[in-house]
Coordinates of all heavy atoms in Angstrom, one line a residue:
I14 N 3.8 10.7 3.6 CA 4.8 10.1 2.7 C 4.1 9.4 1.6 O 3.3 8.5 1.9 CB 5.8 9.2 3.5 CG1 6.6 10.0 4.6 CG2 6.8 8.6 2.5 CD1 7.5 9.2 5.4
S15 N 4.4 9.8 0.4 CA 3.8 9.0 -0.8 C 4.8 8.0 -1.2 O 6.0 8.2 -1.3 CB 3.6 10.0 -1.9 OG 2.6 10.9 -1.6
I16 N 4.3 6.8 -1.5 CA 5.2 5.7 -1.9 C 4.7 5.4 -3.3 O 3.5 5.1 -3.6 CB 5.0 4.5 -1.0 CG1 5.3 4.8 0.4 CG2 6.0 3.4 -1.5 CD1 4.9 3.7 1.4
S17 N 5.6 5.4 -4.3 CA 5.2 5.1 -5.7 C 6.2 4.1 -6.3 O 7.4 4.0 -5.9 CB 5.2 6.3 -6.5 OG 6.4 7.0 -6.5
E18 N 5.7 3.3 -7.3 CA 6.5 2.4 -8.0 C 7.2 3.0 -9.1 O 6.7 3.9 -9.7 CB 5.6 1.3 -8.5 CG 4.9 0.4 -7.5 CD 4.0 -0.7 -8.0 OE1 3.8 -0.7 -9.3 OE2 3.5 -1.5 -7.2
S19 N 8.5 2.6 -9.3 CA 9.3 3.1 -10.4 C 10.0 1.9 -10.9 O 10.1 0.8 -10.3 CB 10.3 4.2 -10.0 OG 11.4 3.7 -9.5
R20 N 10.6 2.0 -12.1 CA 11.3 0.8 -12.7 C 12.6 0.6 -11.9 O 13.2 -0.5 -12.0 CB 11.6 1.1 -14.1 CG 12.5 2.2 -14.4 CD 12.7 2.5 -15.9 NE 13.7 1.7 -16.4 CZ 14.2 1.9 -17.6 NH1 13.8 2.8 -18.4 NH2 15.2 1.1 -18.0
Y21 N 13.0 1.5 -11.0 CA 14.2 1.3 -10.2 C 14.0 0.9 -8.8 O 14.9 0.7 -8.0 CB 15.0 2.6 -10.2 CG 15.3 3.1 -11.6 CD1 14.6 4.2 -12.1 CD2 16.3 2.5 -12.4 CE1 14.9 4.6 -13.4 CE2 16.5 2.9 -13.7 CZ 15.8 4.0 -14.2 OH 16.1 4.4 -15.5
G22 N 12.7 0.8 -8.4 CA 12.3 0.4 -7.0 C 11.3 1.4 -6.5 O 10.8 2.2 -7.2
L23 N 10.9 1.2 -5.3 CA 9.9 2.1 -4.7 C 10.5 3.4 -4.3 O 11.6 3.5 -3.8 CB 9.2 1.4 -3.5 CG 8.4 0.2 -3.7 CD1 7.8 -0.3 -2.4 CD2 7.3 0.5 -4.8
V24 N 9.7 4.5 -4.6 CA 10.2 5.8 -4.2 C 9.3 6.4 -3.1 O 8.1 6.3 -3.2 CB 10.0 6.8 -5.4 CG1 10.5 8.2 -5.1 CG2 10.8 6.3 -6.6
F25 N 10.0 6.8 -2.0 CA 9.3 7.3 -0.8 C 9.5 8.9 -0.9 O 10.6 9.3 -0.7 CB 9.9 6.8 0.4 CG 9.7 5.3 0.6 CD1 10.4 4.4 -0.2 CD2 8.7 4.8 1.5 CE1 10.2 3.0 0.0 CE2 8.5 3.4 1.6 CZ 9.2 2.5 0.9
T26 N 8.4 9.6 -1.0 CA 8.5 11.1 -1.1 C 7.8 11.7 0.1 O 6.5 11.7 0.2 CB 7.8 11.5 -2.4 OG1 8.4 10.9 -3.5 CG2 8.0 13.0 -2.6
P27 N 8.6 12.3 1.0 CA 8.0 12.9 2.2 C 7.5 14.3 2.0 O 8.0 15.0 1.2 CB 9.2 12.9 3.2 CG 10.4 13.0 2.3 CD 10.0 12.3 1.0
T28 N 6.4 14.6 2.7 CA 5.9 16.0 2.8 C 5.7 16.1 4.3 O 4.6 16.0 4.8 CB 4.7 16.2 2.0 OG1 4.9 15.8 0.6 CG2 4.2 17.7 2.1
L29 N 6.8 16.3 5.0 CA 6.7 16.3 6.5 C 7.2 17.6 7.1 O 8.0 18.3 6.5 CB 7.6 15.2 7.1 CG 7.3 13.7 6.6 CD1 8.4 12.8 7.1 CD2 5.9 13.3 7.2
A30 N 6.8 18.0 8.3 CA 7.2 19.1 9.0 C 7.2 18.8 10.5 O 6.5 17.9 10.9 CB 6.3 20.3 8.7
G31 N 8.0 19.5 11.2 CA 8.1 19.4 12.7 C 9.1 18.3 13.2 O 9.0 17.8 14.3
L32 N 10.0 18.0 12.3 CA 11.1 17.1 12.7 C 12.4 17.8 13.1 O 12.5 19.0 12.7 CB 11.4 16.1 11.6 CG 10.3 15.0 11.3 CD1 9.2 15.5 10.5 CD2 11.0 13.9 10.6
E33 N 13.3 17.2 13.8 CA 14.6 17.7 14.1 C 15.4 17.7 12.8 O 15.4 16.7 12.1 CB 15.3 16.9 15.2 CG 14.7 17.1 16.5 CD 14.8 18.5 17.1 OE1 15.9 19.1 16.9 OE2 13.9 19.0 17.7
P34 N 16.1 18.8 12.5 CA 17.0 18.9 11.3 C 18.0 17.8 11.4 O 18.5 17.4 12.5 CB 17.6 20.3 11.4 CG 16.6 21.1 12.2 CD 16.1 20.1 13.2
G35 N 18.4 17.3 10.2 CA 19.5 16.3 10.1 C 19.1 15.0 9.4 O 18.1 15.0 8.8
I36 N 19.8 14.0 9.7 CA 19.6 12.7 9.0 C 18.9 11.8 10.0 O 19.2 11.8 11.2 CB 21.0 12.0 8.6 CG1 21.7 13.0 7.7 CG2 20.7 10.7 8.0 CD1 21.1 13.2 6.3
H37 N 17.9 11.1 9.5 CA 17.1 10.2 10.4 C 17.0 8.8 9.8 O 16.9 8.6 8.6 CB 15.7 10.7 10.5 CG 15.6 12.0 11.3 ND1 15.3 12.1 12.6 CD2 15.8 13.3 10.9 CE1 15.3 13.3 13.1 NE2 15.6 14.1 12.0
G38 N 17.0 7.8 10.7 CA 16.8 6.4 10.3 C 15.4 6.3 9.8 O 14.4 7.0 10.3
F39 N 15.2 5.5 8.7 CA 13.9 5.4 8.0 C 13.7 4.0 7.6 O 14.6 3.4 7.0 CB 14.0 6.4 6.8 CG 12.7 6.6 6.0 CD1 11.5 6.7 6.6 CD2 12.8 6.7 4.6 CE1 10.3 7.0 5.9 CE2 11.7 6.9 3.9 CZ 10.4 7.1 4.5
H40 N 12.6 3.4 8.1 CA 12.4 1.9 7.9 C 11.0 1.5 7.7 O 10.1 2.2 8.1 CB 12.9 1.2 9.1 CG 14.3 1.5 9.5 ND1 14.6 2.4 10.5 CD2 15.5 1.2 9.0 CE1 15.9 2.5 10.7 NE2 16.5 1.8 9.7
V41 N 10.8 0.4 7.0 CA 9.5 -0.3 7.0 C 9.5 -1.3 8.2 O 10.5 -2.1 8.3 CB 9.3 -1.0 5.7 CG1 8.0 -1.8 5.7 CG2 9.2 -0.1 4.5
H42 N 8.5 -1.2 9.0 CA 8.4 -2.1 10.2 C 7.4 -3.2 9.9 O 6.5 -3.0 9.1 CB 8.1 -1.4 11.4 CG 9.3 -0.7 12.0 ND1 9.9 -1.0 13.2 CD2 10.1 0.3 11.5 CE1 10.9 -0.2 13.5 NE2 11.1 0.6 12.4
M43 N 7.5 -4.3 10.7 CA 6.7 -5.5 10.4 C 5.1 -5.3 10.5 O 4.4 -5.9 9.7 CB 7.0 -6.6 11.5 CG 8.3 -7.3 11.2 SD 8.3 -8.2 9.6 CE 6.9 -9.3 9.9
T44 N 4.6 -4.6 11.5 CA 3.2 -4.6 11.8 C 2.5 -3.3 11.6 O 3.1 -2.3 12.0 CB 3.0 -5.1 13.2 OG1 3.7 -6.3 13.4 CG2 1.5 -5.3 13.6
A45 N 1.3 -3.3 11.0 CA 0.6 -2.1 10.7 C -0.1 -1.5 12.0 O -1.3 -1.5 12.2 CB -0.4 -2.3 9.7
N46 N 0.8 -1.1 13.0 CA 0.2 -0.7 14.2 C 1.2 0.3 14.9 O 2.4 -0.1 15.1 CB 0.0 -1.8 15.2 CG -0.7 -1.5 16.4 OD1 -0.7 -0.3 16.9 ND2 -1.4 -2.5 17.0
C47 N 0.8 1.5 15.1 CA 1.7 2.6 15.6 C 1.4 2.8 17.1 O 1.9 3.9 17.7 CB 1.6 3.9 14.8 SG 2.2 3.7 13.1
N48 N 0.8 1.9 17.8 CA 0.5 2.1 19.2 C 1.8 1.9 20.1 O 2.7 1.1 19.6 CB -0.6 1.1 19.7 CG -1.9 1.5 19.1 OD1 -2.2 2.7 18.9 ND2 -2.8 0.5 18.9
A49 N 1.8 2.4 21.2 CA 2.9 2.2 22.2 C 2.7 0.8 22.8 O 1.5 0.3 22.9 CB 2.9 3.3 23.3
V50 N 3.8 0.2 23.2 CA 3.7 -1.1 24.0 C 4.6 -1.0 25.2 O 5.6 -0.2 25.1 CB 4.0 -2.3 23.1 CG1 3.0 -2.5 22.0 CG2 5.4 -2.2 22.6
E51 N 4.3 -1.8 26.2 CA 5.2 -1.8 27.3 C 6.3 -2.8 27.1 O 6.1 -3.9 26.8 CB 4.4 -2.2 28.6 CG 5.2 -2.0 29.9 CD 4.4 -2.3 31.1 OE1 3.2 -2.0 31.1 OE2 4.9 -2.9 32.0
V52 N 7.5 -2.3 27.3 CA 8.7 -3.2 27.2 C 9.6 -2.9 28.5 O 10.0 -1.8 28.7 CB 9.6 -2.8 25.9 CG1 10.8 -3.7 25.9 CG2 8.7 -3.0 24.7
N53 N 9.8 -4.0 29.2 CA 10.6 -3.9 30.5 C 10.0 -2.8 31.4 O 10.8 -2.0 32.0 CB 12.0 -3.7 30.2 CG 12.7 -4.8 29.4 OD1 12.3 -6.0 29.6 ND2 13.6 -4.5 28.5
G54 N 8.7 -2.7 31.5 CA 8.0 -1.8 32.4 C 8.0 -0.3 31.9 O 7.6 0.5 32.7
K55 N 8.4 -0.1 30.7 CA 8.4 1.3 30.1 C 7.7 1.3 28.8 O 7.8 0.4 28.0 CB 9.8 1.7 29.9 CG 9.9 3.2 29.5 CD 11.4 3.6 29.3 CE 11.4 5.0 28.7 NZ 12.7 5.4 28.2
L56 N 6.8 2.3 28.6 CA 6.1 2.4 27.3 C 7.1 2.8 26.2 O 7.8 3.8 26.3 CB 5.0 3.4 27.4 CG 3.7 2.9 28.2 CD1 2.7 4.0 28.4 CD2 3.1 1.7 27.4

C-alpha cells in the first residue's frame, strides 16, 4: 500500500492480492509491530 500526501489528505493506494472479495475495515494502528500476542489465553 502506497501512502502519499495530497492537498486533500493522505491517499492510500493498495496493490494487494489474496484477500476475500468485498468491503474490509482499514485502519492505522498505534504500534509498528505486526506480531501476534496472547489475549485471554489465545493468540
Side-chain angles (χ1 to χ4, degrees):
I14 297 178
S15 295
I16 309 170
S17 57
E18 293 179 355
S19 83
R20 65 187 274 195
Y21 304 105
L23 293 182
V24 179
F25 294 76
T26 305
T28 305
L29 300 172
L32 286 80
E33 288 293 318
I36 302 296
H37 293 264
F39 188 41
H40 308 101
V41 174
H42 282 244
M43 283 297 303
T44 308
N46 189 334
C47 293
N48 291 331
V50 296
E51 189 175 323
V52 177
N53 299 325
K55 183 180 177 197
L56 285 174

